[in-house]
Amino acid sequence: MNQRLPLALDMRGRRVLLVGAGQVAARKLGPLLRAGAHVEVVAPTLGVAIEEELAAGHLVAHRRPFAPDDVTGAWLVYALTDSPELNEQILALCEERAIWCLLGGASQESPVWSLAHRWQGHELVAVSGGGNPRRALALLGRIAKSLGWD
């Protein structure tokens, strides 16, 4: 039995922390910014996409390693580092503090999944691939095509 509840969240003004600034963080960033989240990034180095959004004033970034107090005040945290051990530590901190955390690279263990989604006007279609992002995108494409959204 699946014990996940799909929700559409109003992210306007919510503090979202991305720990890590590579390609996965860059993919997560666009939808968060479009949703109106206040995004903060913590990483020793920033990828090109993150640097561009920082230069445009769309986010706040801290070029340093993660510190436990970074999660304080966050509504949602993305643990997206190259270190599974650090990602697990971030998840544990968030669990202790009742903060939602998306655990990169370990979707089955993550309490939060990102759904593949697409807006058409005021209509939203969101699809889960059971933790498989490629499957979710393929399903979303088929649904959008069947709705005539292509």
Side-chain angles (χ1 to χ4, degrees):
M1 173 170 65
N2 193 331
Q3 298 176 341
R4 297 201 178 252
L5 176 67
L7 300 171
L9 303 173
D10 182 349
M11 298 302 293
R12 291 174 294 181
R14 303 283 186 172
R15 180 172 175 261
V16 177
L17 176 68
L18 300 180
V19 184
Q23 292 178 350
V24 176
R27 282 196 312 270
K28 303 295 184 188
L29 183 59
L32 288 167
L33 292 174
R34 285 189 296 277
H38 290 171
V39 178
E40 203 166 320
V41 176
V42 173
T45 58
L46 305 179
V48 173
I50 304 289
E51 286 278 8
E52 289 173 355
E53 295 295 345
L54 176 63
H58 297 155
L59 58 86
V60 173
H62 307 281
R63 289 179 180 90
R64 60 170 171 73
F66 171 79
D69 281 342
D70 289 331
V71 302
T72 302
W75 194 73
L76 173 64
V77 173
Y78 286 74
L80 303 172
T81 75
D82 291 336
S83 167
E85 295 81 15
L86 178 55
N87 289 343
E88 289 288 340
Q89 290 172 3
I90 295 166
L91 174 61
L93 267 171
C94 289
E95 289 287 324
E96 288 172 11
R97 299 178 188 193
I99 299 168
W100 289 109
C101 183
L102 185 142
L103 184 60
S107 61
Q108 295 302 321
E109 292 82 38
S110 182
V112 176
W113 287 353
S114 288
L115 302 180
H117 66 279
R118 181 165 167 192
W119 285 96
Q120 185 77 16
H122 294 287
E123 297 174 334
L124 168 67
V125 171
V127 179
S128 170
N132 181 332
R134 286 191 179 114
R135 178 158 174 72
L137 287 171
L139 288 168
L140 180 61
R142 291 186 359 222
I143 292 167
K145 184 175 181 181
S146 75
L147 294 170
W149 288 6
D150 288 335

